[in-house]
Amino acid sequence: MPEHANPTGAGYWYGQSPETAGGVDVLNALRAYRAAEAAMRRRTRDSMRMNETDLLAIRYVMQARQAGKSIGPKDLSRVLSISTASTTALIDRLQKGGYLTRRPHPTDRRALEIIPTENADHEVRETLGKMHRRMLETAESLTPEEAGTITRFLQEMTRVLESDR
Amino acid sequence: MPEHANPTGAGYWYGQSPETAGGVDVLNALRAYRAAEAAMRRRTRDSMRMNETDLLAIRYVMQARQAGKSIGPKDLSRVLSISTASTTALIDRLQKGGYLTRRPHPTDRRALEIIPTENADHEVRETLGKMHRRMLETAESLTPEEAGTITRFLQEMTRVLESDR
DNA sequence: CGCAAATAAATAGCCAGCCTAGTATTCCGT
DNA sequence: ACGGAATACTAGGCTGGCTATTTATTTGCG
């Protein structure tokens, strides 16, 4: 779904209390970051001609591969929270697109292993590598104190978001 | 679309350089926050029985209303980046769900005005109000220096994300 | 003024990607 | 060794996008 929306959305949710400028500024910055990130993901998805789920899947498969782990359709289904039927269709799409291959599981003859192709690895790195490098550089240019402040804040916000689950 | 995924995704994209722990911690915290936020949005959407676009639409309509602006299907179409046809269908859904009403545009007889119902306002605030309040409290408990550090960092990361558009 | 082009919303019909249900095969605990 | 669980797949349905077209109205140009 269109996470690429609401460009003029700023200022509604936290804009009603002028006297709280410091906190509001932080939340506005956080919202701007979120919007920029959503837009980036959309661009990536468009340039690779994939939907969001496919992109998450290929990333997960590549990451598992890199960690030396074997991964199958069942794992993808669980991780992506989609049915095994949809997972079959997803793998069909990605296989047809040349991003991954099926191979029989070495010991369980019911199961498959999903292997990313070299092309997938190349294309993902090509698309995302430079940006990630610059994000890392930005993060590393922080002093330890700054990094600690930001990390603690984000963790606290995460805790708030998860608190009414 | 499944933005509610990849719980085990941590550690791949920024995990390859152990000696850069400070920066990596920040990025990991940022990623955890993003995941928590996506999950929260999904819960909201589920509890209101809406898809993401519908939720963005109702928020936009409410925000415009609050700002005293008149808004029509055409505006929604533009803001959400969906076709006018899809917008008609979206408004049908939201109207049937009791979230908004159509009314003729006061001067342009081709056009409509989209008005949120009181129920929409109530339901959105009910669902999101408490959490937003706590997020704001968290942000306001920061010292000005901390708020500045976090704001600058997020703005810089936003700039990086937008730099290869 | 009068009419052509532009604009707003809706309708019809298509497609992608999700779902549930059901099936064949294989695994494994008792 | 057998029955239930697990894996991948197929079939068929639903949702929410899309394009193309239609209808009503407004705008603007000569």
Side-chain angles (χ1 to χ4, degrees):
Chain A
M1 152 216 92
E3 78 275 282
H4 53 289
N6 209 1
T8 49
Y12 173 69
W13 296 102
Y14 306 114
Q16 17 253 43
S17 310
E19 75 276 13
T20 60
V24 168
D25 287 343
V26 172
L27 294 180
N28 280 336
L30 193 52
R31 200 142 32 95
Y33 169 78
R34 168 181 59 197
E37 220 223 30
M40 181 274 288
R41 257 207 306 277
R42 182 168 51 86
R43 291 195 302 274
T44 300
R45 194 187 58 194
D46 291 350
S47 80
M48 291 184 72
R49 311 255 223 78
M50 282 185 188
N51 64 37
E52 191 72 22
T53 311
D54 291 3
L55 204 51
L56 287 167
I58 199 79
R59 283 173 52 170
Y60 184 74
V61 169
M62 287 174 55
Q63 151 203 320
R65 182 72 176 164
Q66 183 158 343
K69 280 179 293 196
S70 171
I71 188 179
K74 190 65 182 180
D75 303 305
L76 271 187
S77 170
R78 195 188 58 251
V79 166
L80 300 174
S81 304
I82 61 177
S83 67
T84 62
S86 300
T87 304
T88 296
L90 177 148
I91 294 171
D92 287 346
R93 284 195 300 274
L94 292 181
Q95 188 169 44
K96 191 174 328 186
Y99 291 110
L100 51 78
T101 57
R102 287 169 161 102
R103 107 164 32 149
H105 191 283
T107 62
D108 187 340
R109 280 188 294 173
R110 294 169 305 180
L112 292 180
E113 278 184 352
I114 301 303
I115 312 290
T117 62
E118 288 194 16
N119 175 53
D121 192 86
H122 178 265
E123 194 155 342
V124 168
R125 286 178 190 286
E126 178 74 17
T127 306
L128 298 176
K130 195 170 62 178
M131 178 172 304
H132 281 161
R133 218 155 31 242
R134 280 190 299 188
M135 289 175 72
L136 188 56
E137 281 163 13
T138 300
E140 284 175 352
S141 72
L142 297 165
T143 68
E145 290 71 30
E146 288 172 332
T149 295
I150 294 164
T151 301
R152 278 190 306 276
F153 170 74
L154 290 172
Q155 285 170 346
E156 178 60 19
M157 293 300 266
T158 301
R159 208 186 58 71
V160 168
L161 283 171
E162 288 175 343
S163 64
D164 77 340
R165 231 176 348 194
Chain B
M1 154 156 348
E3 77 276 281
H4 52 287
N6 210 1
T8 50
Y12 172 67
W13 294 101
Y14 307 111
Q16 17 253 44
S17 311
E19 75 277 14
T20 59
V24 167
D25 288 343
V26 172
L27 295 180
N28 280 336
L30 192 53
R31 199 142 33 95
Y33 170 78
R34 168 182 58 196
E37 218 222 32
M40 180 275 288
R41 257 206 307 275
R42 180 169 54 86
R43 290 195 302 274
T44 300
R45 194 187 60 194
D46 291 349
S47 81
M48 291 184 72
R49 312 254 223 77
M50 282 185 187
N51 64 37
E52 189 74 19
T53 312
D54 291 2
L55 204 51
L56 288 167
I58 199 81
R59 283 173 51 169
Y60 184 75
V61 169
M62 286 174 55
Q63 152 203 322
R65 183 72 176 164
Q66 183 159 342
K69 280 179 293 197
S70 171
I71 189 179
K74 191 65 183 180
D75 304 303
L76 271 187
S77 170
R78 194 188 59 253
V79 165
L80 300 173
S81 304
I82 62 178
S83 66
T84 61
S86 301
T87 303
T88 296
L90 178 148
I91 293 171
D92 286 346
R93 284 195 299 275
L94 292 181
Q95 188 168 42
K96 190 171 336 186
Y99 292 111
L100 50 78
T101 58
R102 288 169 160 102
R103 105 165 32 151
H105 190 282
T107 62
D108 186 340
R109 281 189 294 172
R110 295 168 304 181
L112 293 180
E113 278 184 352
I114 300 303
I115 312 290
T117 62
E118 288 194 16
N119 174 55
D121 192 86
H122 177 264
E123 195 155 344
V124 169
R125 287 179 189 283
E126 177 73 18
T127 306
L128 297 176
K130 194 171 62 177
M131 177 172 302
H132 282 161
R133 215 152 36 238
R134 281 190 298 188
M135 289 176 73
L136 187 56
E137 281 164 13
T138 300
E140 284 175 354
S141 72
L142 297 165
T143 68
E145 290 72 29
E146 289 172 333
T149 296
I150 294 165
T151 302
R152 279 191 304 276
F153 170 73
L154 290 173
Q155 285 169 346
E156 179 59 20
M157 293 300 269
T158 301
R159 208 186 58 69
V160 169
L161 282 171
E162 286 174 345
S163 64
D164 76 340
R165 235 180 346 195

